[in-house]
Amino acid sequence: MSRRSSGQVTGYVPQLPPGFVLGVASSALQTEGAAGGRAETVWDPFVRRTGGDSPAVAADHYHHVRGDLALLKRLGVTGYRFSTSWARVQPDGPDTVDQAGLDFYDRLVDGLLEAGIAPMVTLHHWDLPQRLEDDGGWLNRATIEEFADYAYVMADRLGDRVASWVPVNAPNVETMQGYATGQHAPGRRLGLDSLHVAHHLLLAHGRATVALRQAGVVAVGCANFHAPMWPASDDPADVGATKLFDALWNGMFLEPMLLGQYPADLMPLVEELIQPGDLAEIRQPLDFYGVSYYRPMRVAAAEEGAPLPFRFLQTVGYPETDAGWAVVPDALREWLITLRARFRNALPPIVITECGASYDTGPGPGGVIDDAARVDYLAGHLEAVSAAAQRGVDVRGFYVWSFLDSFQWTGGFRERYGLVHVDFDSLVRTPKRSYHWYSRVIAAQPRSRG
Ligand code: BGC
């Protein structure tokens, strides 16, 4: 890789395995808008209650889909990961389907295929329909049944054209932020009682995987959000807290999905939730293991009497994104190599289902959006993936989070992750420098040259 200075990554061509997918990712609630065409999700009342930005319009992708497809085509990506909105497809419950909602995804998929882009569909990216939350949401086992039904509906409609499917996005974030600490919707503060939700999300993954395969889908994987855990010091209390949080954050979904067992440290907490057959149902053979990676986390023991036994400190000594997240590409390389070493034959091929950075770079002179820091971030992380692949890790794709600037949950519209800038008043799209850079990286891959 040749670099002149920060952001000046010139002529960079990562060495990637043949057929490697270079893509971008998004999610329904974060980009679509068109709230009138869907039922309420848990995020709608949550932002009203907390005074957060509303996802009602977001990037209005629903109404800009043709232009957005043209931007994807021009970018040259070979894969696009998006999610479908359960609240749009089944606004009134399990026995009904909204044709207009389904038609939207049909058009999107057809447009992607015409542009030579392979779609990857996520079924649930944190936007649970509020009507289900009213009945207990992910605390209620009945939600899992409905989810499997919705999975079947989607696969039945799109499975002839969409090869790759992810049932549940980042279930650890939804469990912890949505149900343990209440920072995300639905805003419940259940502490470790949120582990019911973890178990149900795992079952939802398992049961939806079965439903997708029954409907004839080719490849099913996952998109688990992982972060290497660094203890704040070598004090045994910090090391112990880090180990526990690592089990909750990284192990709790990884181990049941791949091995059919919970991490030993968590067994006392989850034992009573497990019904006969659950673990076998969760451990479905997967066609790919999705790793969504952003940063390492630094963990310390919490003060005596705190509701949770760990707390988080800034990771010092590294550059940071605007979200205050440490930029440590090498931690990704190390994570991938360790994952392979630990799980060996139980590990399917890896896909990086998300990787990206929040930088609020706006238009400069001449309207140019010079997000050099994002270029550096992405080049560093692609290089980390390439290094892991050269060490023998079977990694097959990399999806930049994200395609467009969008609704970033509690970060609202202040946090911008897109390769494409969105003016949230006019909804005008402007490709950033990172978009042009990524497009050159993709074009330089052998597939495109041939
Ligand atoms: C989520 C995205 C989110 C990103 C950055 C990921 O875990 O899947 O929806 O925007 O983190 O916060």
Side-chain angles (χ1 to χ4, degrees):
M1 168 167 32
S2 67
R3 284 167 188 250
R4 286 202 298 269
S5 62
S6 177
Q8 307 290 310
V9 186
T10 54
Y12 169 55
V13 183
Q15 301 275 306
L16 296 164
F20 192 90
V21 175
L22 285 167
V24 285
S26 72
S27 92
L29 192 76
Q30 292 179 274
T31 54
E32 283 177 8
R38 61 162 171 81
E40 289 233 304
T41 71
V42 288
W43 279 88
D44 301 293
F46 181 78
V47 298
R48 286 198 293 273
R49 240 176 17 244
T50 55
D53 286 342
S54 159
V57 177
D60 202 28
H61 170 64
Y62 187 93
H63 295 112
H64 288 72
V65 67
R66 285 183 62 166
D68 289 345
L69 280 165
L71 280 167
L72 285 167
K73 185 171 182 186
R74 203 148 53 89
L75 181 57
V77 282
T78 51
Y80 178 53
R81 174 177 173 235
F82 64 95
S83 76
T84 53
S85 163
W86 192 356
R88 189 180 297 289
V89 172
Q90 295 190 311
D92 301 318
D95 300 321
T96 60
V97 170
D98 186 87
Q99 279 309 326
L102 272 182
D103 289 349
F104 169 70
Y105 297 114
D106 233 13
R107 290 196 301 276
L108 175 58
V109 165
D110 285 344
L112 289 168
L113 294 176
E114 270 162 40
I117 301 168
M120 177 189 281
V121 168
T122 305
L123 292 169
H124 174 64
H125 199 124
W126 307 349
D127 49 354
L128 188 74
Q130 179 61 34
R131 68 177 171 80
L132 287 163
E133 176 61 20
D134 293 340
D135 287 336
W138 288 117
L139 288 161
N140 183 353
R141 270 195 175 232
T143 300
I144 302 165
E145 286 313 314
E146 285 206 29
F147 184 62
D149 177 70
Y150 155 63
Y152 191 90
V153 166
M154 294 314 301
D156 193 41
R157 182 68 179 257
L158 304 178
D160 57 337
R161 285 154 293 151
V162 175
S164 303
W165 295 74
V166 170
V168 179
N169 176 71
N172 59 345
V173 179
E174 189 165 3
T175 303
M176 293 290 165
Q177 324 243 97
Y179 291 82
T181 65
Q183 289 156 297
H184 277 191
R188 301 208 195 199
R189 298 200 179 116
L190 301 176
L192 291 176
D193 286 342
S194 64
L195 296 189
H196 282 85
V197 170
H199 189 63
H200 292 167
L201 283 169
L202 279 162
L203 279 168
H205 158 84
R207 231 167 269 180
T209 300
V210 171
L212 289 169
R213 291 209 167 109
Q214 275 165 357
V217 153
V218 177
V220 187
C222 61
N224 283 352
F225 187 96
H226 286 298
M229 294 299 161
W230 295 356
S233 76
D234 53 16
D235 182 320
D238 289 341
V239 174
T242 306
K243 193 163 168 267
L244 176 62
F245 189 68
D246 186 39
L248 284 166
W249 195 252
N250 292 313
M252 188 159 59
F253 296 89
L254 171 64
E255 293 192 29
M257 280 186 195
L258 295 186
L259 305 178
Q261 68 192 38
Y262 278 99
D265 284 349
L266 300 184
M267 270 319 272
L269 300 170
V270 292
E271 225 155 19
E272 61 173 32
L273 308 176
I274 305 171
Q275 295 184 10
D278 280 2
L279 291 174
E281 197 163 13
I282 291 168
R283 186 198 188 183
Q284 297 296 325
L286 295 181
D287 300 289
F288 60 94
Y289 187 85
V291 173
S292 294
Y293 172 89
Y294 290 83
R295 55 145 176 180
M297 291 172 78
R298 192 159 163 253
V299 188
E303 306 291 318
E304 196 76 28
L308 290 168
F310 30 74
R311 66 199 165 97
F312 307 103
L313 305 181
Q314 281 305 106
T315 309
V316 280
Y318 296 92
E320 279 177 14
T321 69
D322 286 356
W325 290 9
V327 179
V328 193
D330 200 50
L332 173 58
R333 182 191 61 84
E334 210 176 88
W335 169 262
L336 294 174
I337 290 172
T338 311
L339 190 66
R340 201 229 2 199
R342 265 191 72 197
F343 290 90
R344 294 168 178 270
N345 293 343
L347 183 68
I350 294 172
V351 172
I352 307 299
T353 37
E354 286 176 27
C355 185
S358 163
Y359 291 113
D360 183 10
T361 319
V368 172
I369 299 167
D370 192 356
D371 58 340
R374 178 170 291 101
V375 172
D376 268 358
Y377 181 98
L378 293 174
H381 288 79
L382 267 175
E383 192 55 30
V385 169
S386 156
Q390 282 164 42
R391 283 279 304 273
V393 179
D394 184 1
V395 50
R396 303 200 179 171
F398 182 96
Y399 291 77
V400 172
W401 184 271
S402 61
F403 168 38
L404 303 171
D405 287 340
S406 57
F407 168 74
Q408 281 299 317
W409 314 112
T410 47
F413 297 106
R414 298 177 307 283
E415 282 194 29
R416 291 178 179 270
Y417 277 84
L419 296 179
V420 176
H421 180 272
V422 176
D423 177 321
F424 290 108
D425 294 321
S426 65
L427 297 166
V428 165
R429 276 87 163 121
T430 311
K432 303 179 191 178
R433 177 165 150 192
S434 54
Y435 172 100
H436 300 295
W437 169 83
Y438 195 43
S439 164
R440 286 194 299 274
V441 167
I442 298 167
Q445 287 303 304
R447 180 198 69 96
S448 318
R449 279 201 221 110

